[in-house]
Amino acid sequence: MAEPITIATWPFGKTAVEAAMKVLAKGEPALDAALAGAQAVEDDTSIRNSVGFGSLPDRLGRLTLDACVMDGRTLACGSVACVEHIRHPAALARRVMEKTPHVMLVGEGAKWFALQQGFPLEVPYTAESIKEWLDAHPDLKKKEKPGKSPVRADGASDITVNEFNHDTVTVLSLDKKGHLGGVCTTSGLGYKLPGRVGDSPIIGAGLYVDDLAGAAGGTGVGEEIIRIGASLFIAEQMRAGKTPQEACELACKRANAAAGRRGVHPARVAFLALDPKGNVGAACTEKTDFKYAVGRGDKVELLTAKEIGPTA
């Protein structure tokens, strides 16, 4: 019998880990635990720039959510992207996995499916998020010079990634039977262009889970994570014998190298991983300041990931 464990991104991941560990303690499957953890964060609108409702909307003021789930035992997976007015996109992604022959549904189609599955439509905004959106909107700020283009994030080096400015939680769990499950859910980058989808709902980019290799997830600038297929890359490194820590560090080096080919430093990404034996690992690129939560038994702790520079 395996020792249950859950890991999750960012300090607010402690909320996810605490919720997931309660589920694992009852002997429930890893995916159930990871989903419970992710949903606890989706429900918490008190977290600044929180995942889910109460987060910063896109450039036009629309809040769209992305999420995916994956079961390491069967490789079953489901995903939704650019979905509006649905409070729990991760739960909806699981319905895609269980109730359809597809992996991903997006936009209005995902919302239509949610309604068919009994999900209510809800208003996703809070007074605080609307105020913050207005106060910091790059198109509404006073321009330094007449005719100057609005401030916008054109590359990885332009986006600040830390616990106060990121909207992704990835939760990875190992249950008592030794099975792995994972969930990734996000509201994406604040002020993103309408229709933008990052790595979080993409299997193999923001999340990958396989009982025979391990589970991995990412956070940070999604475009950089997509470019290297990061989570699948990490899982395959573990399958080949690397530890979760070694695999995460290799993914950071790969992301830095890919960004460097475009003249961008650093890549601003972070990764965490969990292998079938319960070993964990995490790493981030420079200036990302990535912290993650780990839960074993009754103990939940917050750890700081190792930074990997462009020349490491």
Side-chain angles (χ1 to χ4, degrees), residues 204-219:
L207 179 75
Y208 196 79
V209 185
D210 184 348
D211 278 6
L212 302 183
T219 184

Side-chain angles (χ1 to χ4, degrees), residues 17 34 58 65 69 127-128 143 187-188 202 295:
V17 168
D58 67 16
L65 307 180
V69 304
E128 292 78 12
K143 299 181 177 67
S187 58
I202 300 176

Side-chain angles (χ1 to χ4, degrees), residues 150-164:
V151 176
R152 58 183 298 172
D154 292 317
S157 60
D158 301 318
I159 301 173
T160 299
V161 176
N162 56 41
E163 64 182 280
F164 303 110

Side-chain angles (χ1 to χ4, degrees), residues 28-45:
E28 299 299 319
L31 183 56
D32 289 0
L35 183 58
Q39 191 161 299
V41 178
E42 289 175 339
D43 281 335
D44 191 348
T45 58

